[in-house]
Amino acid sequence: MKLEEKNIGSLHLKNPFIAAPVKTAYADLNSTVNQRHINYYANLAKGGVALIIIEPTAVLKSGREHPKQLCIDSDYCIDELSKITKTIHDNGSLACINLNHAGRAANPKASGGVVLAPSAIMCPSTMQTPKELTKEQIKEIVEAFGKAAERAKKAGFDAIEIQGGMGYLIAQFLKERTNKRTDEYGKDKLLFAKEVFDQVAKFSEGLELILRVSANEFVEDGIIEEDNVALINLAKQYGVKVIHAGLGNACDTPLWYYSYASTPTDKQIESFKKLKSLIDSPIIVDGRMGNPERINNLLKEGWIDFFGLGRSLVADQYFVNKLLNDEIDKIWYCGGCLQGCLYNVRSGIGLGCITNPFVDKKFFEPSGKKLKVCIVGGGPAGIATGIYAKMKGYDAIVFEKKELGGQFILATKAPYKDAMQKPLNALINEAKRRGVEFRYEPATFEKIQALNPDLVVIATGANSQIPNIKGIESEFVIDAFSFFEDKVKPKGKRVLVLGIGLIGREAIEILANQGFEVVGVDILSELTQDFTLARLKNNPNVKLFLGTSVEEFTKDGVFARQEDEVINLGKFDTVISSVGTKSDRTLYEQIKDKFKNIEIIGDAAKVADIYTATQSAYDLINRY
């Protein structure tokens, strides 16, 4: 694919692909830049994007979203950020900084306990109600944007992106639903934006300016395409050359904000196209654009100026080079699951990807050694081990008695996760392309021994179990894996799901969408939050019981305990067990003393998730 070079004002871009700002949570509590940052941005720059907009930086501590966010609010941040701009420039790309104040979307654990906004309107995502900004505080934030722009210039950035949308502070001033002030900032809802633009323009001479907006927030009385026109026209007066459009907002519509797999792409394109028709500025469209077919179709339509790529570059930093070199078959795709990226950022682990452990690491290169690696199990851990072994120049043989993919296959069958098939296919294709040998047969000691391997890797995964609960043997019980594999169909209309972890909640949603009345039970009183769980809480076919343990199945119903109280959950036609998943260590126990180098990884070592499986494969091959 050959594409024209582009300009943003005086800034010359080698292609129309721009890395969108993605939170990394790599920094320490002092916002120090470390090797993870350097690896991440070096990989992005080498991967072919023309301009990299780095992760959001808060102009004041009160506007921070994460304790491990990079800083721009003090002069010492200049030297730290200079390490990133140098890395980006040295590896062939241009650097842009995203300046932001989160307002009501700020994290009080990061902002010093203070959450400030135009008005005291709660942020549903954080459940925090902010304090209304005083005029003195508004003045301080406006001046902070100017100081941040000055620091960004000293740190070597080529451009500045002003965060004017996505539910953050500037956007919070723009509409009545979040700005109920009666002073001048309430009467003129563009006044705060005007003052910010003036300060940034004053201190950023020589740098090109980009404005980030949410084309449509998809919330009642929220920002829509037409509302952005006045803001964009104002921004142009202060030198803004390009509009960077996303969707949703961080507080009210995070599904759209993060372009989760359940959000329809046709509505995304419809909104971007409408915004473009209302303005005469070049536009960057951002949201699930990491799709070669979609990119080709949009290029033919001719209305898009630049493509913003976020999580697709987390899944594959070399996406752009592969696209431009017509190496589509080599692309590692994002499935929109958010498990390795968003959830790892929230937890403080830092940005990652379920199929790409090299997000913040250097890629493996040939080691010069000749090793033969025998791998048992063709799930994500086993396939990944084969890929990484081949990267280092080793022979890799994988035994798989069923079908390649293991529990990854189950993930593709969950609601809104059909897009997960693409990263699974990419993982398998990468292994085959690199020459991993697959043997579709059960592994035995004799077969492994005959290969004379230097390293044996057991990646046999885990098996779903039925818990030992009194009376459960009299019920129609399906283990979760059999349910997802469609081996056994649920019967009747009322289903009990034991366990509301990731697999359990996905089973609940499938059943509820099929019209079953579903009760979910979990012994934990608090569950890890995700978008699936949020949907279940609003599904009329679903009832969830937390802090509840099932004690007995009887002819009169299922009895469970909540603290000191025993309750009857009623009678059920089908029970699905999503608890008691157990590592399959059978072969490992048989042969662990028969080979000099034998390792066990993935769910076979400890039941976890796809991210942990591929990371364990990386850690293993990194040691050999």
Side-chain angles (χ1 to χ4, degrees):
M1 177 186 291
K2 291 185 178 180
L3 296 175
E4 293 181 3
E5 298 177 354
K6 295 273 189 174
N7 291 323
I8 295 178
S10 61
L11 205 59
H12 183 70
L13 276 63
K14 59 187 177 184
N15 59 53
F17 294 105
I18 294 172
V22 174
K23 301 178 184 74
T24 68
Y26 290 157
D28 58 20
L29 298 181
N30 295 318
S31 296
T32 304
V33 170
N34 56 44
Q35 193 60 44
R36 296 180 77 186
H37 292 104
I38 300 304
N39 291 341
Y40 172 60
Y41 287 111
N43 285 336
L44 280 184
K46 291 175 184 176
V49 289
L51 175 69
I52 296 172
I53 306 174
I54 75 162
E55 57 205 88
T57 55
V59 298
L60 281 178
K61 187 176 183 180
S62 61
R64 290 165 66 92
E65 291 182 85
H66 198 283
K68 294 184 176 182
Q69 187 173 358
L70 286 178
C71 70
I72 190 68
D73 58 326
S74 299
D75 285 344
Y76 86 87
C77 305
I78 296 170
D79 288 341
E80 293 301 312
L81 293 171
S82 296
K83 301 171 187 175
I84 292 178
T85 56
K86 184 178 187 304
T87 296
I88 292 172
H89 291 151
D90 287 350
N91 288 285
S93 191
L94 298 170
C96 175
I97 192 166
N98 175 286
L99 300 184
N100 188 27
H101 189 292
R104 70 180 184 136
N107 179 346
K109 292 180 180 179
S111 65
V114 178
V115 179
L116 302 170
S119 299
I121 308 298
M122 186 188 75
C123 174
S125 290
T126 65
M127 300 301 291
Q128 297 290 323
T129 299
K131 293 182 179 179
E132 183 174 296
L133 283 158
T134 65
K135 289 184 182 179
E136 290 75 17
Q137 289 169 329
I138 291 175
K139 181 180 179 182
E140 181 187 16
I141 293 172
V142 168
E143 291 177 351
F145 269 95
K147 292 175 183 176
E150 187 175 27
R151 293 183 187 111
K153 185 175 179 179
K154 291 178 179 178
F157 286 96
D158 305 291
I160 291 175
E161 177 172 87
I162 305 168
Q163 177 57 273
M166 313 308 291
Y168 294 118
L169 188 56
I170 291 178
Q172 291 164 25
F173 272 94
L174 299 180
K175 296 282 283 189
E176 179 72 21
R177 69 183 298 272
T178 50
N179 180 0
K180 300 185 181 298
R181 302 176 72 96
T182 57
D183 61 8
E184 60 267 38
Y185 291 99
K187 293 173 183 176
D188 180 0
K189 291 184 168 52
L190 284 172
L191 178 58
F192 178 73
K194 181 179 180 180
E195 292 178 345
V196 169
F197 295 160
D198 179 69
Q199 282 291 298
V200 172
K202 185 180 298 183
F203 291 98
S204 62
E205 185 178 353
L207 276 63
E208 296 298 347
L209 302 182
I210 300 170
L211 176 65
R212 177 86 152 136
V213 301
S214 178
N216 192 314
E217 291 186 321
F218 292 110
V219 62
E220 186 177 358
D221 297 325
I223 292 170
I224 60 175
E225 293 82 5
E226 289 84 354
D227 294 322
N228 283 293
V229 175
L231 179 69
I232 290 168
N233 287 338
L234 175 66
K236 287 170 61 180
Q237 297 176 28
Y238 290 92
V240 168
K241 298 294 196 305
V242 174
I243 305 305
H244 184 181
L247 294 167
N249 79 51
C251 280
D252 302 290
T253 48
L255 284 173
W256 285 101
Y257 175 91
Y258 292 110
S259 297
Y260 185 55
S262 64
T263 54
T265 54
D266 57 342
K267 278 191 172 291
Q268 290 179 314
I269 301 303
E270 178 185 313
S271 180
F272 292 145
K273 189 177 291 188
K274 184 175 182 181
L275 178 63
K276 177 64 175 176
S277 72
L278 296 171
I279 63 176
D280 58 6
S281 297
I283 188 171
I284 306 166
V285 295
D286 181 3
R288 293 169 69 189
M289 289 295 151
N291 182 310
E293 183 179 1
R294 187 173 302 139
I295 289 170
N296 270 317
N297 291 338
L298 291 171
L299 284 171
K300 289 176 183 176
E301 292 182 12
W303 57 274
I304 287 179
D305 302 286
F306 300 93
F307 292 91
L309 301 172
R311 292 196 315 277
S312 54
L313 294 180
V314 178
D316 191 341
Q317 298 97 314
Y318 287 75
F319 176 93
V320 172
N321 277 345
K322 292 173 182 178
L323 183 68
L324 296 177
N325 294 327
D326 296 319
E327 296 177 327
I328 307 300
D329 60 321
K330 294 183 180 181
I331 292 175
W332 299 2
Y333 287 98
C334 171
C337 68
L338 306 181
Q339 292 171 26
C341 47
L342 172 63
Y343 299 138
N344 276 358
V345 167
R346 283 182 174 176
S347 69
I349 294 172
L351 183 69
C353 176
I354 62 170
T355 57
N356 178 17
F358 303 102
V359 176
D360 59 334
K361 304 176 183 71
K362 294 181 179 179
F363 283 79
F364 287 135
E365 296 181 352
S367 69
K369 297 186 290 186
K370 291 294 182 183
L371 299 181
K372 181 182 286 186
V373 183
C374 179
I375 303 150
V376 183
I383 297 171
T385 301
I387 293 171
Y388 311 152
K390 294 298 290 186
M391 284 182 174
K392 295 190 77 169
Y394 307 152
D395 291 332
I397 302 163
V398 177
F399 285 91
E400 172 52 52
K401 61 183 178 182
K402 293 181 181 179
E403 178 184 1
L404 291 178
Q407 288 186 48
F408 205 143
I409 298 171
L410 306 185
T412 68
K413 299 181 179 181
Y416 310 113
K417 285 192 174 181
D418 54 325
M420 291 287 280
Q421 190 67 51
K422 293 190 79 171
L424 172 56
N425 290 345
L427 198 68
I428 295 171
N429 291 341
E430 181 73 10
K432 291 180 176 179
R433 186 180 67 80
R434 288 185 175 273
V436 176
E437 180 183 342
F438 289 101
R439 298 190 178 185
Y440 298 94
E441 57 183 291
T444 64
F445 167 68
E446 291 76 17
K447 290 177 183 178
I448 297 171
Q449 186 182 46
L451 294 172
N452 192 26
D454 300 289
L455 171 63
V456 178
V457 181
I458 304 299
T460 44
N463 297 316
S464 191
Q465 304 288 307
I466 305 297
N468 184 21
I469 301 173
K470 186 177 180 180
I472 196 171
E473 65 277 356
S474 64
E475 302 292 320
F476 180 64
V477 185
I478 306 172
D479 72 88
F481 289 4
S482 295
F483 169 74
F484 276 100
E485 291 168 358
D486 212 22
K487 289 180 178 179
V488 186
K489 298 284 188 182
K491 65 180 183 180
K493 293 296 293 181
R494 198 159 189 263
V495 181
L496 174 66
V497 177
L498 302 174
I500 317 176
L502 180 61
I503 295 175
R505 64 189 66 173
E506 290 176 345
I508 292 171
E509 187 165 29
I510 290 173
L511 291 161
N513 291 346
Q514 292 175 350
F516 288 93
E517 179 187 342
V518 191
V519 172
V521 177
D522 203 290
I523 194 170
L524 297 177
S525 56
E526 291 187 14
L527 299 176
T528 303
Q529 300 296 310
D530 68 1
F531 293 129
T532 303
L533 187 60
R535 290 194 299 270
L536 293 183
K537 291 177 179 177
N538 296 314
N539 193 313
N541 291 337
V542 175
K543 289 184 179 179
L544 303 178
F545 290 85
L546 304 184
T548 304
S549 58
V550 174
E551 294 191 335
E552 185 176 5
F553 290 82
T554 75
K555 60 182 178 59
D556 298 317
V558 178
F559 290 88
R561 181 175 295 278
Q562 284 185 326
E563 295 182 351
D564 296 329
E565 182 182 2
V566 175
I567 59 174
N568 189 346
L569 299 174
K571 297 180 180 180
F572 296 90
D573 304 300
T574 302
V575 178
I576 294 179
S577 171
S578 180
V579 297
T581 303
K582 186 178 181 181
S583 298
D584 184 354
R585 303 170 65 96
T586 307
L587 181 63
Y588 176 73
E589 294 299 332
Q590 292 172 359
I591 67 173
K592 63 182 180 182
D593 299 323
K594 297 181 179 179
F595 294 94
K596 181 180 178 181
N597 295 312
I598 182 166
E599 305 272 2
I600 184 167
I601 64 169
D603 279 356
K606 183 180 180 181
V607 176
D609 51 24
I610 299 172
Y611 174 83
T612 305
T614 54
Q615 286 289 327
S616 67
Y618 171 89
D619 292 339
L620 170 63
I621 295 301
N622 191 44
R623 297 200 306 268
Y624 280 86

